[in-house]
RNA sequence: GGAGAGAUGGCUGAGUGGCUGAAAGCGCACCCCUGCUAAGGGUGUAUAGGUUUACCCCUAUCGAGGGUUCGAAUCCCUCUCUCUCCGCCA
């Protein structure tokens, strides 16, 4: 959520920043326009309502005093009956107006940071750097490699659950587990993150805190008969660990990593990546989350991204870093750096990690605050990034490690986690 | 799932209709005494919104929502959560 005061006092600047995401967001009928309209109404009603409540409180106190001293208070009682009724009505209106205002604010995306490049969509993203030597020879798609080795079973996934589900067997299943372990080990032992294990189900408030709700309910799996959802990312439960907390300045930065399964309806991506493991309804991910002082947010984004990149380097997977343009960053993001891994079968880089700073946007929504240098509570800055998406990492390993005899080389760093296995070959 | 008990500030814990945004203790911060070891004394210490240069002030909040009342932490209703016992279960 954007700051309700800044929304008013800084209207022009914020509007311009928001417009960089796309003009429609500030156009007539947008949440932005609605919010500015509701803000005025809300404040006027609230002012009136509070004045009346003040009057009520004052006279009520008087009545109390008179009664205690055995005096007659019938006159006050008579006129207060009227005031009480009015006050109640006004209060209801004022509350409704404020709710509507907050609802509108919740639908307004975060302001892109000034360092975010201009642009409309992924074509305008800016490449920052590359690492590794991408292989240029012809490599089969991972689904062919996997099925050929008998370790990826898409048919079984479909039979059990539907499209966009898959089954891993043998070396692939172990690879999934090995990757999870390697990633968690590196982040805890080398990068200083505390590992947490969290529920894969979250309630509405929690999902509102990180920005998935109210706007993107269609992307989530909702539990029948409950106001709860399967998490689309560990960001949701891990960030919200501190929901409604006021943290001490010294406790920052807070750094967590977590493995969770992730569940996405993929409602808007019909026809995209329908084959293989790139886009699944359920996938595994190790997530990095940091809560930091707002002044440190953008610097931390660099280090957090480097922590995710370190996994790719350890696994010897070529990648590049992309600075997402204003039109392509997510709803809650202030700035996003994507890591894209080389997929030789597609002759291109594909997203494997998305690292974002949210500024104080989530902190404000989720009520995660810290005491600043003056002892005043203010929203913390939050960041997160995949470190990494495990399914996609497995895909990258299959394709980048593929050899013309059909076998797949296991990266050295991963071999201990695979029981010393150096290559996956046909049984 | 059944029965019972409970939910108050950073923590413990008073408070059954007005003088309670909330006693007391602990913790924390600052000051004093002492003197460098233990201890003692004083002051301060919720969050949000509105207003304001700021102070002040106003409003809301005692799990959440609704009701009764001139007035609710306190009475009534609904919900959520926690604890204990029983049942079930990995």
């Amino acid at each position: 959520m954007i700051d309700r005061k800044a929304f008013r006092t800084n209207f022009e600047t914020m509007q311009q920043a928001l417009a960089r995401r796309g003009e429609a967001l500030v156009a007539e009928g947008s949440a932005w326009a609605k919010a500015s309209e509701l803000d005025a109404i809300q404040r006027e009603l609230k002012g009136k309502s509070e004045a009346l409540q003040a009057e009520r409180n004052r006279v009520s106190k008087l009545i109390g005093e008179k009664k205690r001293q055995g005096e007659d208070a019938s006159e006050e009682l008579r006129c207060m009956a009227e005031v009480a009724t009015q006050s109640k009505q006004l209060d209801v209106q004022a509350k409704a107006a404020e709710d509507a205002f907050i609802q509108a604010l919740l639908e307004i995306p975060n302001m892109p940071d000034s360092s975010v490049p201009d642009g409309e969509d992924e074509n305008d993203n800016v490449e920052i750097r590359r690492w590794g030597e991408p292989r240029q020879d012809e490599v089969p798609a991972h689904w062919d490699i996997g099925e050929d080795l008998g370790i990826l079973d898409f048919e079984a996934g479909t039979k059990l659950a539907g499209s966009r589900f898959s089954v891993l067997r043998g070396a692939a299943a172990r690879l999934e587990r090995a990757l999870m372990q390697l990633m968690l080990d590196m982040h805890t032992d080398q990068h200083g993150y505390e590992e947490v294990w969290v529920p894969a189900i979250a309630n509405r408030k929690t999902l509102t805190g990180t920005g998935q709700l109210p706007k993107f309910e269609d992307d989530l799996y909702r539990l029948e008969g409950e106001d709860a959802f399967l998490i689309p990312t560990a960001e949701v439960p891990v960030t919200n660990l501190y929901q409604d907390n006021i943290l001490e300045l010294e406790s920052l930065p807070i750094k967590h990593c977590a493995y969770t399964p992730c569940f996405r309806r993929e409602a808007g991506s019909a026809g995209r990546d329908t084959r293989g493991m790139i886009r699944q309804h359920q996938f595994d991910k190790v997530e990095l989350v940091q809560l930091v002082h707002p002044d440190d947010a953008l610097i931390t984004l660099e280090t957090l991204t480097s922590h995710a990149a370190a996994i790719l380097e350890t696994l010897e997977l070529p990648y590049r870093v992309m600075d997402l343009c204003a039109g392509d960053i997510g709803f809650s993001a202030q700035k996003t750096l994507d890591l894209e891994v080389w997929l030789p079968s597609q002759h291109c880089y594909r997203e494997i990690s998305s690292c974002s700073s949210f500024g104080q946007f989530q902190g404000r929504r989720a009520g995660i605050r810290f005491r600043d240098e003056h002892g005043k509570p203010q929203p913390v800055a939050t960041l997160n990034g995949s470190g990494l998406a495990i399914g996609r990492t497995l895909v990258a390993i299959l394709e980048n490690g593929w050899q013309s005899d059909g076998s797949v080389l296991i990266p050295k760093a991963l071999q201990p986690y695979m029981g010393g296995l150096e290559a996956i070959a046909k049984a």
Side-chain angles (χ1 to χ4, degrees), chain A residues 111-176:
Chain A
M111 308 295 137
D113 184 70
S114 57
S115 69
V116 170
D118 285 320
E120 281 178 26
D121 53 36
E122 68 267 23
N123 298 313
D124 299 320
N125 295 341
V126 176
E127 183 177 316
I128 296 180
R129 64 186 174 91
R130 288 186 186 210
W131 183 92
E133 285 294 317
R135 63 188 285 184
Q136 299 295 345
D137 57 334
E138 287 301 317
V139 173
H142 68 275
W143 52 83
D144 287 331
I145 299 173
E147 284 179 328
D148 187 44
L149 288 168
I151 57 175
L152 257 39
D153 192 342
F154 296 102
E155 242 175 77
T158 306
K159 179 175 78 178
L160 295 174
S163 68
R164 293 197 192 282
F165 287 94
S166 51
V167 168
L168 310 180
R169 291 177 181 275
R174 176 143 194 186
L175 196 54
E176 186 88 359

Side-chain angles (χ1 to χ4, degrees), chain A residues 153-426:
Chain A
D153 192 342
F154 296 102
E155 242 175 77
T158 306
K159 179 175 78 178
L160 295 174
S163 68
R164 293 197 192 282
F165 287 94
S166 51
V167 168
L168 310 180
R169 291 177 181 275
R174 176 143 194 186
L175 196 54
E176 186 88 359
R177 173 161 60 91
L179 285 167
M180 183 203 303
Q181 303 250 68
L182 175 135
M183 290 177 192
L184 287 170
D185 282 353
M186 269 186 77
H187 294 314
T188 53
D189 297 342
Q190 294 173 36
H191 303 148
Y193 291 78
E194 184 197 3
E195 186 174 346
V196 287
W197 193 281
V198 294
I201 290 174
N203 61 28
R204 181 171 295 274
K205 184 181 179 189
T206 297
L207 282 149
T208 304
T210 28
Q212 284 73 21
L213 291 179
K215 232 187 152 187
F216 306 103
E217 185 159 346
D218 289 348
D219 296 337
L220 302 171
Y221 284 104
R222 176 159 178 192
L223 270 57
E224 175 88 39
E226 301 193 43
D227 207 15
F229 305 80
L230 297 179
I231 56 169
T233 160
E235 157 195 356
V236 175
V238 175
T239 306
N240 277 287
L241 238 27
Y242 300 94
Q243 174 187 107
D244 293 326
N245 282 177
I246 301 178
L247 305 161
E248 293 308 319
L249 186 60
E250 308 78 55
S251 67
L252 302 179
I254 291 174
K255 301 166 74 177
H256 286 303
C257 61
Y259 156 79
T260 68
C262 303
F263 302 90
R264 300 187 182 178
R265 305 247 336 262
E266 295 295 347
S269 32
R272 292 174 63 192
D273 303 308
T274 47
R275 286 198 74 179
M277 287 185 62
I278 293 289
R279 196 174 297 275
Q280 301 268 284
H281 287 308
Q282 172 183 347
F283 62 96
D284 293 314
K285 183 157 60 67
V286 167
E287 185 77 359
L288 302 172
V289 173
Q290 290 206 40
L291 279 60
V292 305
H293 192 291
D295 292 349
D296 300 334
L298 291 172
I299 291 182
T300 305
L301 178 60
E302 302 289 332
T303 57
L304 186 141
T305 305
S306 75
H307 294 151
I311 304 286
L312 287 167
E313 292 175 20
T314 298
L315 296 173
E316 304 162 53
L317 296 169
Y319 69 92
R320 63 175 186 174
V321 185
M322 303 295 288
D323 192 350
L324 298 204
C325 74
D328 200 32
I329 60 174
F331 177 83
S332 301
Q334 166 194 46
K335 183 179 181 68
T336 298
L337 299 177
D338 271 8
L339 297 180
E340 297 183 343
V341 71
W342 179 253
L343 287 192
S345 76
Q346 301 184 8
H347 297 288
C348 68
Y349 289 95
R350 292 296 307 262
E351 176 186 337
I352 194 165
S353 170
S354 193
C355 303
S356 299
S357 166
F358 303 91
Q360 294 173 290
F361 188 83
Q362 291 182 328
R364 201 172 287 118
R365 282 182 163 243
I368 310 172
R369 290 162 296 168
F370 74 102
R371 283 189 197 285
D372 64 17
E373 295 77 356
H374 310 290
K376 283 213 168 168
Q378 61 161 305
V380 287
T382 58
L383 299 101
N384 67 58
S386 355
L388 306 160
I390 296 175
R392 289 188 181 183
T393 308
L394 188 144
V395 165
I397 288 175
L398 290 185
E399 294 196 2
N400 284 283
W402 180 80
Q403 302 179 102
S404 49
D405 66 356
S407 68
V408 170
L409 288 175
I410 306 287
K412 279 217 168 51
L414 202 55
Q415 290 173 9
Y417 291 93
M418 293 291 288
L421 192 70
E422 291 174 8
I424 305 172
K426 253 191 219 182

Side-chain angles (χ1 to χ4, degrees), chain A residues 25-40:
Chain A
L25 285 170
V26 295
E28 225 173 303
S30 64
W32 177 271
K34 247 185 264 171
S36 69
E37 202 176 299
L38 289 166
D39 184 31

